[in-house]
Amino acid sequence: MTWDEVAPLLWPATVDTLYMTGVATLFTVVLGLPLGVLLVVTERGGLLPARPVNRALGVVVDIGRSLPFLILMVAIIPFTRVVVGTSIGNAAAIVPLTIGAIPFYARLVEIALREVDPGVLAAADAMGATRREIVGKVLLREARPGLVSGLTVTVIALIGYTAMAGTVGGGGLGNLAVVYGYERFETKVMVATVVLLVVLVLLIQAAGDLVARRLTHR
C-alpha cells in the first residue's frame, strides 16, 4: 500500500478510537468516582465508617483490577450481548472498556481523596457542615488535581484497551493495525497506527497535566 492509500484508513479508525475512549471514560467517571468516594468514607475513621461495606467494595474492586483486559473482554461477551445486542464493533467494545476501567479509576479516586489534609475536613465538620457537604464541597474540591491526574492515567489506559479490543472484533486503530498491519503485513499501516496512538497519549497527558496544575494553583 502507498501512503495515499493508508491515509484514508487512519481518520475513521482514529475517530472510532476516540469515540470508544470518550464514551467509556464518561461511564467510568459516573460509576468509578462514587465508588472511590464510598471506599474512603466507609473505611475505619471515615465520614461514614462501615467496615463490612468497605471490605466488600474493596474485594470487588480488587477482583476487577486483577483481570487482564483481554480475558475480561472475552469472559463477559454474553453480558455484552445482553447490553448492546452484539459482541463485535465499537458499541460492544465500550462495555468491557467501561467495566475494566471502573475499578482502576475507583482506586485512583481513593488515593486522591486520602491525600486531602484531614485538618480541612475537621475544620468543615467543626463549622457544622453535613457529611454530604463535606464530601461534595470539601473532599472532592480539595482532591481535584489528584482526580484529574487519575482520570488522565485512566484515559490513557483506555486507549491501550481499545487497541487490545481491536484484536477481537472491536474497531479503531487497534483493529486497523491487526487487519492491515499484522494479517496483511502492511508495515506502513502498523507504523502509522503506532505513531497515532503515541501522539494521542502525549496530547492527553499534556492536557491532563495542564488542568491539574491549574487546579493546584487555585
Side-chain angles (χ1 to χ4, degrees):
M1 296 180 71
T2 66
W3 284 111
D4 289 339
E5 294 172 319
V6 172
L9 301 174
L10 298 177
W11 175 246
T14 303
V15 171
D16 286 346
T17 294
L18 293 175
Y19 167 70
M20 290 186 290
T21 303
V23 176
T25 299
L26 175 63
F27 285 117
T28 297
V29 172
V30 169
L31 299 174
L33 181 61
L35 182 55
V37 172
L38 281 174
L39 285 170
V40 173
V41 299
T42 59
E43 67 183 0
R44 180 183 297 174
L47 294 172
L48 297 169
R51 193 160 181 78
V53 175
N54 184 267
R55 283 189 173 181
L57 292 176
V59 169
V60 170
V61 168
D62 289 340
I63 290 175
R65 292 174 61 222
S66 66
L67 293 175
F69 178 70
L70 202 56
I71 295 175
L72 170 69
M73 189 167 48
V74 174
I76 67 168
I77 282 178
F79 176 72
T80 301
R81 285 181 178 149
V82 170
V83 175
V84 297
T86 179
S87 61
I88 298 174
N90 296 335
I94 290 171
V95 176
L97 285 171
T98 304
I99 293 177
I102 287 174
F104 183 77
Y105 184 57
R107 280 300 185 198
L108 295 178
V109 170
E110 180 187 18
I111 293 171
L113 297 181
R114 282 180 173 172
E115 291 179 350
V116 175
D117 184 356
V120 177
L121 303 180
D125 187 43
M127 294 173 65
T130 64
R131 296 290 184 266
R132 178 176 296 182
E133 289 173 335
I134 292 175
V135 171
K137 297 182 179 179
V138 181
L139 191 60
L140 290 175
R141 185 179 179 84
E142 291 294 320
R144 286 183 303 176
L147 295 176
V148 171
S149 296
L151 184 60
T152 303
V153 173
T154 304
V155 173
I156 291 173
L158 277 170
I159 289 178
Y161 290 169
T162 63
M164 283 188 276
T167 64
V168 291
L173 292 169
N175 180 259
L176 184 65
V178 170
V179 173
Y180 286 88
Y182 178 71
E183 295 178 355
R184 302 184 187 181
F185 303 104
E186 295 289 350
T187 305
K188 290 179 181 176
V189 176
M190 183 66 79
V191 170
T193 54
V194 170
V195 170
L196 279 174
L197 287 170
V198 171
V199 170
L200 284 176
V201 168
L202 292 177
L203 289 175
I204 291 169
Q205 185 65 59
D209 289 344
L210 177 64
V211 174
R213 280 198 300 272
R214 291 192 173 183
L215 290 173
T216 301
H217 295 153
R218 287 183 178 177

